[in-house]
Amino acid sequence: MSQNLAPPIRRALLLTSLPVYGLLYAPLALIAVFSFAPAPGSTTAGLHWYNDLLHAPDVLAALRRSLTLALGSSILGTALGTLMGFGLSRFRSRARSGFAAALPSLIIYTPIIMPSLVFGISELIFFNLMHKATGLFAAGLLTMGIAHVTFQAPYVALVVFARMAGLDPNLFEASHDLYANGRQSFLYLTVPVIRPAIIGGFLLAFTLSIDDFTISYFTAGPGSTTLPIYIYSAVARKGISPDINALATLMIATVIGIGLLQYGFTRQKDRQTVPRTGD
């Protein structure tokens, strides 16, 4: 009976999902289509606006800042997030219950579920107070980098924590039986095993940083305009134009590409552990 119901259910799910996918991806597709608009005085679509981007110093400067910010914050965020995920997995107490047992998860989830607007404003207030008190942390790439690390690390911690949760605890006991201390066990056992999760967490952190606008906007300073801030300023100043569509299309393609890499690395270990049919 379930086999007779399966085709109608599949068709119903397909009919339901197609409009959802259309709402999700149609705006992105329209931006890509409009980015190939004809150049002024021409009626032929082409790569004119992409070529203009390569010769726009403001765009190239914003790109360099975005890459510098994303790379630096992702490296630090991945390191901190890996340690967070490892610590929460290895040293959590299964004997605790109630709020005490949920506290580690709350520490990770709170920055993730908090609205970006609230997070950005809180970072702005914090850095202003620190600057007034110490003269340090003037608004710029440094404050943007610190703010990015604070929301990247929890995402990396979740990826690493999920990978650690699937490991056999006896592996760590076996390493201690072989006279490995904590540092050796972490470097030679934990890191190689969770390497796909670490790489996937880094790519996720990089993606989050490269297209972040809200938090970057509140923590940016003079001369620290990134690509998302540049796009917002350009749209506010002259409206949506083909060159902005071209720039947005490049960002969409970059984020999708990094997202696919992140998915591939996080699934790599699962594919390796799937038993073969011939075994």
Side-chain angles (χ1 to χ4, degrees), residues 111 114-130 139 143 147-148 150-151 212-220:
M114 184 179 298
S116 298
L117 181 62
V118 176
F119 198 93
I121 293 175
S122 64
E123 294 283 347
L124 172 63
I125 295 173
F126 172 77
F127 288 128
N128 283 341
L129 292 176
M130 292 295 295
T143 56
H148 280 214
T150 56
F151 74 78
D212 176 75
F213 168 75
T214 306
I215 297 175
S216 298
Y217 181 80
F218 283 103
T219 56

Side-chain angles (χ1 to χ4, degrees), residues 1-272:
M1 182 176 180
S2 60
Q3 293 179 351
N4 295 331
L5 293 177
I9 293 176
R10 285 199 297 267
R11 286 194 294 269
L13 291 176
L14 179 62
L15 293 176
T16 304
S17 61
L18 286 179
V20 176
Y21 287 129
L23 290 174
L24 289 174
Y25 295 106
L28 303 181
L30 287 176
I31 290 177
V33 171
F34 291 150
S35 67
F36 297 100
S42 174
T43 58
T44 304
L47 301 175
H48 169 78
W49 302 108
Y50 290 92
N51 183 63
D52 277 2
L53 292 178
L54 298 177
H55 300 86
D58 293 342
V59 174
L60 296 178
L63 174 61
R64 285 192 296 269
R65 296 189 196 101
S66 291
L67 293 177
T68 301
L69 174 64
L71 185 61
S73 63
S74 298
I75 292 174
L76 183 56
T78 301
L80 294 177
T82 299
L83 295 177
M84 289 172 59
F86 174 77
L88 290 173
S89 174
R90 290 287 292 124
F91 302 109
R92 62 176 177 170
S93 176
R94 291 179 171 82
R96 295 178 179 177
S97 61
F99 180 78
L103 182 59
S105 299
L106 290 175
I107 295 175
I108 292 182
Y109 280 109
T110 299
I112 295 177
I113 64 178
M114 184 179 298
S116 298
L117 181 62
V118 176
F119 198 93
I121 293 175
S122 64
E123 294 283 347
L124 172 63
I125 295 173
F126 172 77
F127 288 128
N128 283 341
L129 292 176
M130 292 295 295
H131 182 65
K132 291 179 181 178
T134 64
L136 303 175
F137 301 105
L141 281 180
L142 176 61
T143 56
M144 296 172 71
I146 296 174
H148 280 214
V149 169
T150 56
F151 74 78
Q152 289 171 328
Y155 283 95
V156 179
L158 280 181
V159 176
V160 173
F161 180 80
R163 180 65 192 132
M164 291 288 298
L167 298 180
D168 187 352
N170 293 326
L171 290 174
F172 302 98
E173 300 298 333
S175 67
H176 296 320
D177 291 341
L178 295 174
Y179 305 103
N181 56 33
R183 182 185 64 85
Q184 292 171 331
S185 178
F186 178 76
L187 292 178
Y188 300 110
L189 171 63
T190 304
V191 172
V193 171
I194 66 172
R195 183 180 293 116
I198 296 175
I199 298 175
F202 170 81
L203 294 174
L204 177 60
F206 189 89
T207 303
L208 293 171
S209 176
I210 201 72
D211 67 349
D212 176 75
F213 168 75
T214 306
I215 297 175
S216 298
Y217 181 80
F218 283 103
T219 56
S224 57
T225 300
T226 58
L227 277 179
I229 298 177
Y230 175 85
I231 292 175
Y232 173 80
S233 301
V235 172
R237 185 176 62 254
K238 61 180 181 180
I240 300 177
S241 57
D243 58 333
I244 298 300
N245 289 329
L247 183 57
T249 301
L250 293 177
M251 290 191 65
I252 292 170
T254 301
V255 170
I256 291 176
I258 297 176
L260 292 175
L261 286 175
Q262 188 267 340
Y263 176 80
F265 277 108
T266 54
R267 299 295 297 176
Q268 175 182 349
K269 197 65 181 179
D270 294 336
R271 290 195 299 267
Q272 293 175 351

